[in-house]
Amino acid sequence: MTVLTRRNLLRATAATGLAGIGASIVGKLSGFAAAKPEPLILKTASIEAKLTDGAPTKNVLTYGEAGPPPVVRMKKGEPFAARLVNGIDDPTTIHWHGVRVPNKMDGVPFLIQPHVYQGDHFDYAFTPPDAGTFWYHPHCDTLIQTGHGLTGVIVVENPNDPKFDSEMVINLRDWRLGDDGQFIEQFRPRDAARSGTFGTVRTANWLNQPQYDAPAGGLVRLRAAITDVTRIYAFRVEGAEAVVIALDGNPVPQRFTPDALQLGPGQRLELAIRMPDEEGAIVSLRDVRGTKPKILATLRAVGKSLKRDMRDLGPLEVNPVAEVDVADAKHISLALSATAENLPSDGICGSLGYSFWAINKVPWSGDTPDPTAPLAELKLGKSYVIDMENLTPHLHPIHLHGMSFKVLSSSTRQVQPFVSDTYLIQPNEKVQLGLVADNPGDWLLHCHIIEHQKTGMTSYFRVV
């Protein structure tokens, strides 16, 4: 069994640059413009990793032989292939969160694909239509497998993007560890029925407050993915000029400063940071939500100033997401609520044994070969507006598989018309999300606080 140490991890980071730990593994992706690209092997494994100052943590899950799951790099509009090989005891799959893949590649067991047992494999192949920051994770036994480490970042590159002097990729996640550094119960029922069960150890790239070097006076592209199962963040950058350039894989309509910007599990943030001119100056990415602000990661200015100007940074190319025809759109009402209904607690892909949440008063029946009926049947190519209302006192990051939507309006705040796949709905908020049903198949819709997902706040649309 491989033991991951902080020293080895920092050495790996330095060797692969700010692009992310494990990025060297994806060198296999070179030449993916070919019709049949060489598949990237993503093998699940159970390892020991040094996540605290104490003893190594056992039964940490990853893709590969050591360290965090690799940053998987793809190219917009070019074929990609990966083979999932299951080396752990429990069945698993891969969901390519935010990437608009063909339905049979979506990684949802029972609804879409068979689960992959130990020793078996499954081949994924698709062409990513959008550039941006995404991530990948299991959709089987999701709470345990993602909670134990099976979360990796995806970067889909666009050669037409503006040029940065450096790039940093950050995988943000909690761990539920006891004082001995070993895993404790992944959730508590009383917390699952509220905002979710928080981790006890917080990391960025599996490290506590890692620091990376970046060119003084340069422009840095920072990509952060919240791969945690519960935690909601409020982002702020201190020590440098910073603007949000993209959210959830899509350019923002108007760039803005991340002043306590709230994002939830499943969401991604892209920042442009203008590094200080003075060598040794420190820039920090912080979570300022709650009573205990946390420095997540820092950048240290090195070398002679490049004297870049944020105004030099051109716009990101808009992704080819179909424009919703609001005037001709059909409206679909969705109500997020609590539930007291009891449902079967068995399931090959793991059930928590409780039902606390529901969509349109129906809690998800669990991972069974005969799931509940779809929320709605959408006609291929037609426009829809989802009128979603949060009837609970808690936030819910609602994620839609397979398609992107545009945020049209909110009852509680002014919103930019973001294009996204995950929306963090506030308590008692009513929001309108417009989309074009342009991807046929059954597409999951669920809260990405995984305890909420697994205890009822899940359903799906059918596009025909």
Side-chain angles (χ1 to χ4, degrees):
M1 180 172 290
T2 303
V3 177
L4 174 69
T5 67
R6 182 181 179 90
R7 179 178 296 177
N8 291 339
L9 190 52
L10 287 170
R11 187 182 296 120
T13 304
T16 57
L18 296 181
I21 300 161
S24 61
I25 297 176
V26 298
K28 300 176 183 178
L29 300 186
S30 60
F32 262 29
K36 293 183 179 180
E38 180 73 18
L40 171 68
I41 304 301
L42 293 171
K43 183 176 181 179
T44 58
S46 177
I47 65 172
E48 292 184 0
K50 190 75 171 171
L51 300 175
T52 68
D53 293 334
T57 303
K58 300 176 182 179
N59 195 29
V60 176
L61 301 181
T62 191
Y63 299 94
E65 297 180 353
V71 175
V72 172
R73 291 186 176 268
M74 310 176 188
K75 295 184 184 298
K76 177 182 177 180
E78 295 188 12
F80 169 82
R83 170 168 287 188
L84 167 63
V85 179
N86 190 12
I88 61 176
D89 294 338
D90 298 314
T92 191
T93 65
I94 293 180
H95 168 59
W96 311 90
H97 184 114
V99 184
R100 295 187 291 149
V101 299
N103 195 228
K104 63 182 180 180
M105 297 287 106
D106 196 42
V108 180
F110 300 108
L111 194 67
I112 303 301
Q113 73 159 85
H115 39 265
V116 182
Y117 285 104
Q118 184 183 41
D120 289 343
H121 71 270
F122 187 90
D123 290 325
Y124 294 92
F126 53 86
T127 299
D130 307 316
T133 305
F134 308 93
W135 65 295
Y136 63 105
H137 63 85
H139 235 287
C140 186
D141 202 10
T142 316
L143 184 62
I144 297 299
Q145 293 186 17
T146 60
H148 280 227
L150 282 180
T151 62
V153 183
I154 299 169
V155 173
V156 182
E157 300 172 341
N158 183 347
N160 298 325
D161 277 353
K163 301 304 179 184
F164 292 82
D165 301 302
S166 186
E167 181 177 272
M168 179 177 178
V169 179
I170 297 182
N171 182 337
L172 296 170
R173 54 165 301 120
D174 285 11
W175 308 84
R176 291 272 298 157
L177 305 180
D179 292 340
D180 60 355
Q182 304 310 308
F183 283 106
I184 57 178
E185 288 295 325
Q186 191 64 51
F187 82 103
R188 294 177 297 209
R190 67 179 182 274
D191 292 332
R194 298 173 182 172
S195 57
T197 308
F198 291 93
T200 60
V201 173
R202 302 180 62 182
T203 62
N205 294 341
W206 290 24
L207 297 168
N208 178 32
Q209 300 180 5
Q211 184 173 103
Y212 302 100
D213 290 347
L219 295 179
V220 176
R221 185 176 195 164
L222 187 149
R223 303 175 184 263
I226 304 173
T227 74
D228 188 52
V229 298
T230 301
R231 187 174 298 277
I232 292 167
Y233 288 73
F235 290 102
R236 181 173 290 155
V237 174
E238 295 188 3
E241 178 187 3
V243 294
V244 177
I245 59 174
L247 289 173
D248 300 337
N250 290 278
V252 295
Q254 183 176 347
R255 293 174 179 177
F256 60 95
T257 301
D259 186 13
L261 171 65
Q262 278 198 346
L263 296 176
Q267 295 195 272
R268 292 87 65 204
L269 169 68
E270 290 188 39
L271 297 173
I273 299 175
R274 200 280 185 182
M275 291 296 294
D277 293 305
E278 304 80 19
E279 184 164 20
I282 301 298
V283 180
S284 61
L285 176 67
R286 297 172 180 252
D287 175 18
V288 297
R289 189 167 189 260
T291 59
K292 295 182 178 180
K294 164 80 172 175
I295 295 176
L296 304 171
T298 58
L299 293 173
R300 183 174 70 98
V302 297
K304 185 178 179 180
S305 175
L306 300 180
K307 298 183 179 180
R308 293 290 301 274
D309 192 314
M310 193 74 84
R311 292 172 294 184
D312 297 339
L313 197 63
L316 298 178
E317 191 171 75
V318 176
N319 286 322
V321 177
E323 185 67 34
V324 60
D325 183 352
V326 177
D328 193 46
K330 180 179 178 180
H331 285 248
I332 300 171
S333 296
L334 294 184
L336 311 178
S337 66
T339 184
E341 183 176 343
N342 291 319
L343 290 170
S345 60
D346 57 341
I348 292 176
C349 278
S351 296
L352 303 190
Y354 300 89
S355 293
F356 297 131
W357 306 98
I359 299 179
N360 285 355
K361 299 183 179 180
V362 178
W364 184 247
S365 56
D367 301 311
T368 68
D370 186 23
T372 187
L375 284 166
E377 190 171 280
L378 313 184
K379 299 300 181 183
L380 187 64
K382 298 296 184 181
S383 290
Y384 295 86
V385 172
I386 299 174
D387 297 309
M388 186 163 60
E389 182 176 10
N390 183 6
L391 302 175
T392 82
H394 302 287
L395 290 86
H396 300 285
I398 301 298
H399 172 52
L400 175 63
H401 290 213
M403 294 177 287
S404 297
F405 53 73
K406 176 182 282 189
V407 181
L408 302 176
S409 68
S410 166
S411 64
T412 62
R413 51 190 164 152
Q414 286 190 330
V415 290
Q416 285 196 42
F418 299 113
V419 174
S420 179
D421 52 76
T422 308
Y423 184 80
L424 182 61
I425 190 167
Q426 306 293 311
N428 304 310
E429 181 182 6
K430 297 178 182 178
V431 65
Q432 289 191 318
L433 308 174
L435 64 87
V436 177
D438 56 0
N439 202 353
D442 291 341
W443 298 108
L444 221 58
L445 177 86
H446 64 88
C447 180
H448 228 285
I449 293 174
I450 304 301
E451 292 157 89
H452 294 179
Q453 171 197 332
K454 299 294 286 185
T455 58
M457 195 171 282
T458 303
S459 193
Y460 68 103
F461 290 119
R462 175 165 290 160
V463 179
V464 293

